[in-house]
Amino acid sequence: MLSDALLHLYRLMMRIRVFEEKVQELHKLGRLPGFVHVYLGEEAVAVGACSVLRRTDHITSTHRGHGHCIAKGADVAPMMAELFGKADGYCKGKGGSMHIIDTSLGILGANGIVGGGIPMAAGAGLADTVLGRDGVTVCFFGDGAANQGVLLEALNLSAIWKLPVVYLCESNHYMEFTPTADLTAGRIYRRAEPFGIPGVEVDGNDVLEVRRAAAEAVDRARRGEGPTLIEAVTYRFAGHSEGEEAFVSAYRTEEEVESWKARDPVTCFRERLLAELPDRASELDDIDDAEQASVEAAVRFAEAAPFPPPGQALEHVFAEAGA
Amino acid sequence: MLSDALLHLYRLMMRIRVFEEKVQELHKLGRLPGFVHVYLGEEAVAVGACSVLRRTDHITSTHRGHGHCIAKGADVAPMMAELFGKADGYCKGKGGSMHIIDTSLGILGANGIVGGGIPMAAGAGLADTVLGRDGVTVCFFGDGAANQGVLLEALNLSAIWKLPVVYLCESNHYMEFTPTADLTAGRIYRRAEPFGIPGVEVDGNDVLEVRRAAAEAVDRARRGEGPTLIEAVTYRFAGHSEGEEAFVSAYRTEEEVESWKARDPVTCFRERLLAELPDRASELDDIDDAEQASVEAAVRFAEAAPFPPPGQALEHVFAEAGA
Amino acid sequence: MANVYFMQAMHQALAAAMEEDETVVVLGEDVDRGVFGVTRGLIDRFGPNRIRKTPISEATFVGGAVGAAAAGLRPFAHVMFSSFFYVAMDQIANQAARLRYMSGGQVELPIVYFAGTGPSGSAAAQHSENPHSILMHTAGLKVVMPSTPYDAKGLMTAAIRDPNPVIYLADLRLSRLRAAVPAEPYEIPLGSADIKRVGEDVTVVALASLVPPVLEAAAELEEEGVSVEVIDPRSLVPFDWEMVAASVRRTGRLVVADPARRLCGAAGEIIAGVSERVWDSLLARPRRLTWPDVPVPFSPPLEKELDVGAEDVKQAVRDVLDESSRRIPAARGAARGSA
Amino acid sequence: MANVYFMQAMHQALAAAMEEDETVVVLGEDVDRGVFGVTRGLIDRFGPNRIRKTPISEATFVGGAVGAAAAGLRPFAHVMFSSFFYVAMDQIANQAARLRYMSGGQVELPIVYFAGTGPSGSAAAQHSENPHSILMHTAGLKVVMPSTPYDAKGLMTAAIRDPNPVIYLADLRLSRLRAAVPAEPYEIPLGSADIKRVGEDVTVVALASLVPPVLEAAAELEEEGVSVEVIDPRSLVPFDWEMVAASVRRTGRLVVADPARRLCGAAGEIIAGVSERVWDSLLARPRRLTWPDVPVPFSPPLEKELDVGAEDVKQAVRDVLDESSRRIPAARGAARGSA
Ligand SMILES: Cc1ncc(C[n+]2csc(CCOP(=O)(O)OP(=O)(O)O)c2C)c(N)n1
Ligand SMILES: Cc1ncc(C[n+]2csc(CCOP(=O)(O)OP(=O)(O)O)c2C)c(N)n1
Ligand SMILES: [Mg+2]
Ligand SMILES: [Mg+2]
């Protein structure tokens, strides 16, 4: 890989990192309405996977969607404004954290329903197939979502129709406050096998490994050879949702969290880049600074933006014919 | 196996055979309201599986449920009356062919929703587990139903809770008018593997083979070792539903149907019994006659029974507290 | 104009739409043959790339239609029996009906969700739902339910061309209807009701398979000297409040006949919505004719017991007339006259 | 009587029911901790055999409850947010609500389906539904929706003891309510409404989280000399038509406040049902206060725009009074008097 491309991966991961840390901070200050689920610790998954996608490719996302959106090219300013519920947000304040959508980037939406995006991804893949486009859809979903029946249905449908869809399970070990393994039989990536779909496991904290697996799956899909299931093993550093301490007692040990932080996907990748591209070390600092600055700017943008006029609550239910 | 037990298997298969042929005949005469799906050709599956169940064990059934009900001990007279929509039917005429229920026999119901019985079976298994009973539930479902997501969900749930449930897929090669293989990736029995559940394939036209597989699965379940998925490969001799010729052109070849009729589970078993128990040959004839007579009697019972008074349409929505 | 059956009329509109726009695709179980005939044979004309037989996985093909629409197709999803909407309800109510709104208007979702609906003769409780009021309440879905082959065709064309998810419910009791229908495609705008019979004394709003018995009752009442106006809303979302309100403003009397359960049903809604608009014109309490609040039973006499028939309609019309002649304040009664 | 929060009141009833009947089991995601607190801590008292944390598989644990109930348990299924009912709608509407009827009355299904419901502060379109009218229309489900800790506890006891599937909706906007509640279990019969404030001029029927603003409005209106009777149905199926109709018979005026969408909603139903019963007593057109027919938006000012508040209630009450004093026939107006 070209070093510029490597730095770009780093930049996106850092963008997510900085964005989410800022989100945490703002949430603590009571500035963000609604539920907020941050992606800290999982940055390598979204960035690795989306790095092999084109702008015209699609993704479907989850309640924990900020990282997917940023990795697919979303701008942090309208994202932040959306989190604030402002008129200049991606969805004009209608969606919020759990529903960020940018169809011009192929982002078919974060989704508040666990598993809700899975059928949609198959449908987007169908559109590519029917229309003879060589697009690909990446369907992000959690390890908890892997127990929703739509996974079986979508795997089956994608297999028989050879849909160009990559099912990417983010195995972050928890579904809300419950260890996934407690309520999940067997390994998720193996659920692909009976359908004749390749099922692979990757280190979700290693952006290059995710990228490699995604590239293989995406190429396969583009060639018309059908879907792949990738299970990216990772960990979320933060709680399930911000502010959960208020009503949930601890459900993870300090040691567990620390052991994963020692494998922080962002800092590990940074160290690796420092080792492999020592002459570009200063650029990493520049990236950190630039991302920090852009997220700060995003916050200012969001704060300055107006709330939507109340009457807008009544708009956007239906599209006008011929509009 | 004792020869009496073998004869009993034969009797039940013959009972289903005679019942269903009579149902076809009545349907052609326009005597039966609503949809009717007959079980001809699949008799060995229900009889083999239910032969290892106790009265207190449960089954969940499908739209093609007559065979399951008879195999679990249902009486053909109130069954037939139910098909006629009569007051003396199992469900007082409220349910019809697709909804025969007899809770006293553990029949939790035929079900008009493809896959509808799958979660219910897991729930019945949970009741046995929670209450410390050694009951078992057999969940019958079609190969078409295997593409409903609830299968994944129920397999996962049953695996983690080691529920005493046997998932029995009747692979009769069709879902309505479409070959199952056209729209089903891989083999269904293999869908158990990722959950660590035994998945086995059996010849669904051989009642003893079904019985053997069911016995193993049921024993395992009773011992508290959890669920099994059995795929019984079989074939339906008749159409998807009676009268379909009126609106569906042929979707199977004569040869295909004939090749399966050559492996008719009832006549093959009869021949085998004749060979193995030559001294009881006459009893087989007696059984045939008796079953024929009892189905004739069932028709007379059904015909003589009154329709429910129209006002009964308003009853049985809610149970009275303390009733 | 050839005589065509109810389902054939929809078939014609769908086929023409597929000719006209190659992004229209059909999804559903056995859609090559098609239990109701609406999609039958299309596979021969348009091939398996556009006529997609699906596995029995309602949640996924209904939700797939959402993703497909967002990515450039115009899916016609054949849900078969409307009871099966419940199997895919998340994808209908949380996804299809929400995505545009949640996105602040970014997405258009031109989807038709088609199903045969209502009792069709002892299909029993899991194949006989009329869930239109549930879908009306959802917000974000248009809902149509025609009563004639002509309307069926025109509404189908409009539904397919509409940029929003449209629930298209074909009342199975109307399958045998046959009528002359123009060969060319035409649109009936969603949201336009139709006066099926002009009258002066009582407005009867009737949905889907209750239109024929209501017309029958109206014809019989004519002989008794009672003039009934029969309105078929055709589209439930959007609803043509204006036409219905205008009629009731003239007649002063309202009966609503809806082949569905009562509690929170469309009949109550129509009464509430019309009352809000023309309260002062009402000469008697509006009547609703609906099923009782029970599942649909199997046995023919039980199923029949749920039905609203011409006799019920006649009785309700007479009741409304009686009440208004007995009770309206003299001044008003004089002004309006009543039969 | 200790002061307890809304959800704690339900928790007490559930815990007591589990003590009293060992076939009561809890199913649902994270029910050991429980996002709303209704099941929190029960696992320490009753252990993991009876407090069953489920995978994220709503269709299967909701449908599992049906099989479990038919096989001898009394499941309390914690569906979490009521938007998730749609994910399991087949199992609710085609199975739980149908099995007893289809079996001709053979089966009892003592199940409680519990969910937090309604907007809870920018939870947006997929976590803020108030689907009670959809569940009311289904037939075969009882539906309760309390507005006070006292009612919450009594209805929970009744719901768990009831031999039928009961949908128990806990309005999330009421989470901070706190009130004194008897320590011992007690039952409030399903189907009994409650007069939350006695009044003479106008009847306001209010559901769940709209009861507090309606009471606030009533108190303020008192100062204007208007006497408002406030009725909380508490249970929507069965519905206490008698109590509501009796009140309207006295007041002659009806306003219904329902925190849900309008089309085919409970407000329209209550107006239709009451009008049918007491048409002659109505002195003005009944008013409904509901959300507009849109999904629930995220942004605080948008979400607030949907709300029905005390001011809306006051306005509606004044409108009803105005209209009746302007328009009622003199004779009737004199007989009743109006503010
Ligand atoms: C259908 C549905 N059920 C339950 C929830 C509540 N919920 C939100 S996130 C979550 C856990 C999801 O776990 P996972 O899929 O592993 O994603 P993660 O949060 O770990 O990224 C649950 C149960 C929901 N939003 N939707
Ligand atoms: C949820 C649902 N979808 C579709 C149908 C219509 N339908 C009835 S039977 C059937 C085919 C079922 O195939 P399979 O499960 O293989 O059972 P078989 O008829 O072969 O016994 C279909 C699609 C239905 N009843 N329920
Ligand atoms: Mg997870
Ligand atoms: Mg089959």
Side-chain angles (χ1 to χ4, degrees):
Chain A
M1 251 183 110
L2 291 178
S3 56
D4 281 355
L6 290 170
L7 288 186
H8 190 64
L9 295 181
Y10 176 75
R11 178 186 297 280
L12 288 171
M13 285 169 68
M14 182 52 71
R15 186 171 297 164
I16 298 172
R17 173 62 52 98
V18 174
F19 185 87
E20 295 293 54
E21 283 177 350
K22 179 58 72 177
V23 163
Q24 288 195 305
E25 189 186 317
L26 291 163
H27 189 276
K28 278 208 186 63
L29 294 170
R31 306 290 309 279
L32 301 181
F35 296 113
V36 176
H37 310 85
V38 299
Y39 199 64
L40 293 170
E42 310 185 36
E43 294 87 348
V45 182
V47 171
C50 291
S51 73
V52 296
L53 295 182
R54 303 172 185 162
R55 186 185 169 103
T56 48
D57 289 331
H58 293 103
I59 65 167
T60 62
S61 168
T62 68
H63 58 287
R64 195 178 302 288
H66 308 164
H68 310 138
C69 295
I70 290 175
K72 189 68 174 52
D75 184 340
V76 290
M79 278 184 66
M80 193 62 89
E82 188 60 33
L83 267 63
F84 275 76
K86 295 298 184 73
D88 296 324
Y90 262 117
C91 310
K92 303 192 171 70
K94 286 267 171 58
S97 166
M98 280 196 292
H99 306 292
I100 294 176
I101 295 176
D102 183 349
T103 49
S104 73
L105 294 170
I107 300 169
L108 297 184
N111 209 308
I113 298 296
V114 169
I118 295 175
M120 284 173 54
L126 176 65
D128 284 325
T129 303
V130 169
L131 298 174
R133 300 183 305 220
D134 67 348
V136 171
T137 301
V138 173
C139 173
F140 292 100
F141 63 101
D143 42 358
N147 292 325
Q148 291 285 35
V150 283
L151 180 61
L152 173 149
E153 298 185 7
L155 289 176
N156 182 60
L157 194 78
S158 306
I160 57 167
W161 288 349
K162 288 198 187 303
L163 297 179
V165 182
V166 180
Y167 293 93
L168 208 170
C169 179
E170 306 183 307
S171 268
N172 65 4
H173 294 82
Y174 285 85
M175 35 201 212
E176 287 192 355
F177 323 117
T178 300
T180 306
D182 288 2
L183 299 177
T184 305
R187 291 299 310 277
I188 291 164
Y189 74 90
R190 292 204 48 216
R191 294 186 182 181
E193 287 174 27
F195 303 95
I197 296 175
V200 297
E201 183 185 3
V202 297
D203 178 354
N205 280 27
D206 181 339
V207 67
L208 296 181
E209 208 191 302
V210 174
R211 182 179 152 94
R212 215 162 13 243
E216 196 172 314
V218 166
D219 288 349
R220 189 179 130 84
R222 262 197 235 293
R223 288 194 308 266
E225 293 168 21
T228 302
L229 171 62
I230 299 175
E231 180 176 359
V233 180
T234 182
Y235 196 79
R236 64 166 155 76
F237 290 168
H240 167 66
S241 64
E242 292 307 297
E244 69 185 23
E245 315 75 43
F247 63 94
V248 194
S249 53
Y251 54 91
R252 311 190 291 187
T253 62
E254 278 290 312
E255 299 79 63
E256 181 182 291
V257 178
E258 288 312 315
S259 76
W260 280 93
K261 285 197 173 160
R263 302 192 42 233
D264 183 327
V266 183
T267 55
C268 289
F269 190 52
R270 192 180 212 280
E271 278 158 29
R272 184 155 156 188
L273 291 181
L274 282 175
E276 292 178 13
L277 308 169
D279 51 319
R280 303 192 69 169
S282 70
E283 287 180 58
L284 293 179
D285 290 336
D286 293 346
I287 288 174
D288 294 359
D289 293 346
E291 293 307 325
Q292 193 74 48
S294 92
V295 165
E296 294 295 348
V299 174
R300 285 192 302 275
F301 173 81
E303 285 180 330
F307 278 108
Q312 272 209 3
L314 307 186
E315 291 172 26
H316 305 129
V317 180
F318 291 118
E320 293 296 317
Chain B
M1 252 183 108
L2 292 177
S3 56
D4 281 355
L6 289 170
L7 288 186
H8 190 63
L9 294 181
Y10 176 77
R11 177 186 296 279
L12 287 171
M13 285 169 69
M14 183 51 71
R15 186 172 298 165
I16 297 171
R17 174 62 52 97
V18 174
F19 185 87
E20 295 292 54
E21 284 176 350
K22 179 57 73 179
V23 163
Q24 288 194 306
E25 188 186 318
L26 291 164
H27 189 277
K28 280 208 185 63
L29 295 171
R31 307 291 308 280
L32 301 182
F35 297 113
V36 176
H37 310 85
V38 300
Y39 198 66
L40 292 170
E42 311 185 34
E43 295 87 347
V45 183
V47 171
C50 292
S51 73
V52 295
L53 295 183
R54 305 173 184 161
R55 185 185 170 102
T56 48
D57 290 330
H58 293 103
I59 64 167
T60 62
S61 169
T62 69
H63 57 287
R64 197 177 302 289
H66 308 164
H68 310 139
C69 295
I70 291 175
K72 189 67 173 56
D75 184 339
V76 290
M79 277 184 67
M80 193 61 89
E82 188 61 32
L83 268 63
F84 274 77
K86 296 297 185 73
D88 296 324
Y90 262 117
C91 310
K92 303 192 169 69
K94 286 267 171 61
S97 166
M98 281 197 290
H99 305 291
I100 295 176
I101 296 176
D102 183 348
T103 49
S104 73
L105 294 170
I107 300 168
L108 298 184
N111 208 308
I113 299 296
V114 170
I118 295 176
M120 284 173 53
L126 176 64
D128 283 327
T129 303
V130 169
L131 298 173
R133 300 184 304 220
D134 67 349
V136 172
T137 301
V138 172
C139 173
F140 292 101
F141 63 101
D143 41 359
N147 293 325
Q148 290 285 36
V150 284
L151 180 61
L152 173 148
E153 298 185 6
L155 289 177
N156 182 61
L157 195 77
S158 305
I160 58 167
W161 288 349
K162 287 195 187 302
L163 297 179
V165 181
V166 179
Y167 293 94
L168 208 169
C169 179
E170 305 183 308
S171 267
N172 64 4
H173 293 81
Y174 285 86
M175 36 201 211
E176 287 191 355
F177 323 117
T178 300
T180 306
D182 288 2
L183 299 176
T184 304
R187 291 298 311 278
I188 292 165
Y189 73 92
R190 292 205 46 216
R191 295 187 180 179
E193 286 175 28
F195 304 93
I197 295 175
V200 297
E201 184 186 2
V202 297
D203 177 354
N205 281 27
D206 181 338
V207 66
L208 296 181
E209 208 191 302
V210 174
R211 182 180 153 94
R212 213 160 17 240
E216 198 172 313
V218 165
D219 288 349
R220 189 178 128 83
R222 263 197 235 292
R223 287 194 307 268
E225 293 167 20
T228 302
L229 172 62
I230 299 174
E231 180 175 0
V233 179
T234 182
Y235 197 79
R236 62 167 157 75
F237 291 166
H240 167 65
S241 64
E242 291 308 297
E244 67 186 24
E245 316 74 45
F247 63 95
V248 194
S249 55
Y251 53 90
R252 311 190 292 187
T253 63
E254 278 289 314
E255 301 79 64
E256 180 182 292
V257 178
E258 288 313 314
S259 76
W260 280 94
K261 283 195 173 161
R263 302 190 42 232
D264 182 328
V266 182
T267 54
C268 289
F269 190 52
R270 192 180 211 281
E271 278 157 31
R272 182 154 158 189
L273 291 181
L274 282 176
E276 291 178 15
L277 308 170
D279 51 320
R280 305 192 69 168
S282 68
E283 286 179 56
L284 292 179
D285 292 335
D286 293 346
I287 288 174
D288 295 358
D289 294 345
E291 294 307 325
Q292 195 72 49
S294 90
V295 166
E296 295 294 349
V299 174
R300 286 192 301 277
F301 173 81
E303 286 180 329
F307 278 109
Q312 270 210 5
L314 307 185
E315 291 172 28
H316 305 130
V317 181
F318 292 117
E320 293 295 317
Chain C
M1 299 216 296
N3 255 349
V4 302
Y5 283 110
F6 192 53
M7 296 288 183
Q8 259 180 304
M10 302 172 213
H11 173 100
Q12 288 186 353
L14 173 57
M18 292 193 72
E19 289 288 0
E20 159 186 307
D21 181 344
E22 63 180 22
T23 64
V24 177
V25 300
V26 172
L27 295 173
E29 294 152 22
D30 295 287
V31 286
D32 52 344
R33 298 167 192 277
V35 272
F36 307 130
V38 171
T39 62
R40 203 171 294 156
L42 292 175
I43 199 162
D44 301 328
R45 279 169 73 182
F46 302 104
N49 190 40
R50 292 178 64 197
I51 306 294
R52 293 264 168 180
K53 297 175 61 166
T54 65
I56 310 176
S57 308
E58 282 82 8
T60 288
F61 77 77
V62 166
V66 178
L73 296 180
R74 300 182 89 86
F76 175 97
H78 188 282
V79 181
M80 203 180 306
F81 287 89
S82 65
S83 294
F84 308 163
F85 276 119
Y86 300 142
V87 181
M89 195 67 182
D90 168 52
Q91 301 291 333
I92 293 282
N94 283 325
Q95 313 295 342
R98 298 286 172 265
L99 201 63
R100 176 177 175 78
Y101 188 82
M102 295 191 307
S103 75
Q106 289 178 59
V107 201
E108 292 195 356
L109 297 176
I111 308 169
V112 175
Y113 290 114
F114 172 87
T117 199
S120 56
S122 290
Q126 293 175 331
H127 282 72
S128 305
E129 289 285 286
N130 259 331
H132 48 278
S133 80
I134 287 177
L135 298 159
M136 291 166 72
H137 185 70
T138 296
L141 305 170
K142 297 192 175 180
V143 182
V144 303
M145 211 173 166
S147 76
T148 68
Y150 180 86
D151 292 349
K153 183 167 178 179
L155 288 170
M156 180 61 83
T157 303
I160 297 174
R161 291 184 186 158
D162 197 274
N164 299 289
V166 180
I167 307 279
Y168 191 113
L169 299 170
D171 194 318
L172 294 170
R173 286 225 164 122
L174 299 172
S175 302
R176 304 232 172 118
L177 269 192
R178 212 171 164 182
V181 155
E184 290 307 296
Y186 53 94
E187 270 190 57
I188 294 178
L190 307 185
S192 66
D194 189 42
I195 298 184
K196 295 292 181 202
R197 180 189 179 101
V198 177
E200 290 174 21
D201 298 326
V202 181
T203 302
V204 181
V205 176
L207 307 191
S209 57
L210 292 188
V211 173
V214 166
L215 287 171
E216 187 190 322
E220 291 173 29
L221 286 162
E222 187 80 63
E223 291 170 18
E224 299 178 18
V226 177
S227 166
V228 174
E229 178 142 306
V230 180
I231 303 187
D232 174 2
R234 302 194 290 200
S235 148
L236 298 168
V237 179
F239 191 89
D240 193 344
W241 291 109
E242 264 159 61
M243 180 178 285
V244 179
S247 173
V248 178
R249 223 174 265 120
R250 280 189 288 107
T251 63
R253 304 178 186 89
L254 174 64
V255 173
V256 181
D258 178 19
R261 284 186 290 271
R262 197 173 186 83
L263 264 189
C264 297
E269 177 58 38
I270 293 170
I271 288 177
V274 172
S275 303
E276 275 161 359
R277 287 168 174 82
V278 299
W279 179 258
D280 293 327
S281 309
L282 287 172
L283 302 173
R285 81 189 71 186
R287 261 43 176 200
R288 48 179 166 169
L289 298 167
T290 67
W291 302 344
D293 284 301
V294 302
V296 178
F298 169 76
S299 183
L302 300 183
E303 189 186 277
K304 197 158 181 322
E305 175 73 6
L306 266 46
D307 277 4
V308 175
E311 282 309 314
D312 301 305
V313 178
K314 283 157 70 177
Q315 192 54 52
V317 168
R318 287 191 204 109
D319 288 349
V320 172
L321 283 166
D322 272 8
E323 183 186 320
S324 51
S325 62
R326 268 190 290 111
R327 298 187 197 168
I328 43 164
R332 245 180 178 178
R336 312 203 54 95
S338 74
Chain D
M1 301 217 296
N3 255 349
V4 302
Y5 283 108
F6 192 53
M7 297 287 182
Q8 259 181 304
M10 302 171 212
H11 172 99
Q12 288 186 355
L14 174 56
M18 293 193 72
E19 288 288 0
E20 161 186 306
D21 181 345
E22 64 179 21
T23 65
V24 177
V25 299
V26 172
L27 294 173
E29 295 153 23
D30 294 289
V31 286
D32 51 343
R33 298 168 193 276
V35 273
F36 306 130
V38 171
T39 61
R40 201 170 296 154
L42 291 174
I43 199 163
D44 301 328
R45 276 168 75 182
F46 301 104
N49 190 42
R50 292 178 63 196
I51 306 295
R52 292 265 168 177
K53 297 175 63 165
T54 66
I56 310 176
S57 307
E58 281 82 8
T60 288
F61 77 77
V62 165
V66 178
L73 295 181
R74 301 183 89 86
F76 175 97
H78 187 282
V79 181
M80 203 181 305
F81 286 89
S82 65
S83 294
F84 308 162
F85 276 118
Y86 299 142
V87 181
M89 195 66 182
D90 168 52
Q91 301 291 332
I92 293 283
N94 282 327
Q95 313 296 341
R98 298 286 173 266
L99 202 62
R100 176 177 175 77
Y101 188 82
M102 296 190 307
S103 74
Q106 289 178 58
V107 202
E108 294 195 354
L109 296 176
I111 307 171
V112 175
Y113 290 114
F114 172 88
T117 199
S120 56
S122 288
Q126 294 175 331
H127 282 73
S128 306
E129 290 286 285
N130 259 331
H132 48 279
S133 81
I134 287 178
L135 299 159
M136 288 165 74
H137 185 70
T138 297
L141 304 170
K142 298 191 175 181
V143 181
V144 303
M145 210 172 165
S147 75
T148 68
Y150 181 86
D151 291 349
K153 183 167 178 177
L155 288 170
M156 181 60 84
T157 304
I160 298 173
R161 290 183 187 158
D162 198 273
N164 298 290
V166 179
I167 307 278
Y168 191 112
L169 299 170
D171 193 319
L172 293 170
R173 285 225 163 120
L174 299 171
S175 301
R176 304 232 172 118
L177 269 192
R178 211 170 164 182
V181 154
E184 290 306 298
Y186 54 94
E187 271 190 57
I188 294 178
L190 307 184
S192 67
D194 189 42
I195 299 184
K196 294 294 183 202
R197 180 189 178 103
V198 177
E200 289 174 21
D201 298 326
V202 180
T203 301
V204 182
V205 176
L207 308 191
S209 58
L210 292 187
V211 172
V214 165
L215 287 171
E216 189 189 321
E220 292 173 28
L221 286 162
E222 186 82 63
E223 291 169 19
E224 300 177 17
V226 176
S227 165
V228 174
E229 178 141 305
V230 180
I231 303 188
D232 174 1
R234 302 193 290 200
S235 147
L236 298 168
V237 179
F239 191 91
D240 193 343
W241 292 111
E242 265 159 61
M243 181 180 283
V244 178
S247 173
V248 178
R249 222 173 265 121
R250 278 190 288 107
T251 63
R253 303 178 187 90
L254 174 64
V255 173
V256 181
D258 178 19
R261 283 185 291 271
R262 196 173 187 82
L263 266 188
C264 298
E269 176 59 37
I270 293 169
I271 288 177
V274 172
S275 302
E276 275 160 0
R277 287 168 174 82
V278 298
W279 179 258
D280 293 326
S281 310
L282 286 172
L283 302 173
R285 83 188 70 186
R287 264 38 177 203
R288 47 180 167 168
L289 297 167
T290 67
W291 302 344
D293 283 302
V294 302
V296 178
F298 168 76
S299 182
L302 301 183
E303 188 185 279
K304 196 160 180 319
E305 176 72 6
L306 267 46
D307 276 4
V308 175
E311 281 309 315
D312 301 305
V313 178
K314 281 156 72 177
Q315 193 54 52
V317 167
R318 286 190 205 109
D319 288 348
V320 173
L321 283 166
D322 273 7
E323 183 186 321
S324 53
S325 62
R326 269 189 291 113
R327 300 184 196 170
I328 44 166
R332 243 183 179 178
R336 311 204 53 94
S338 75

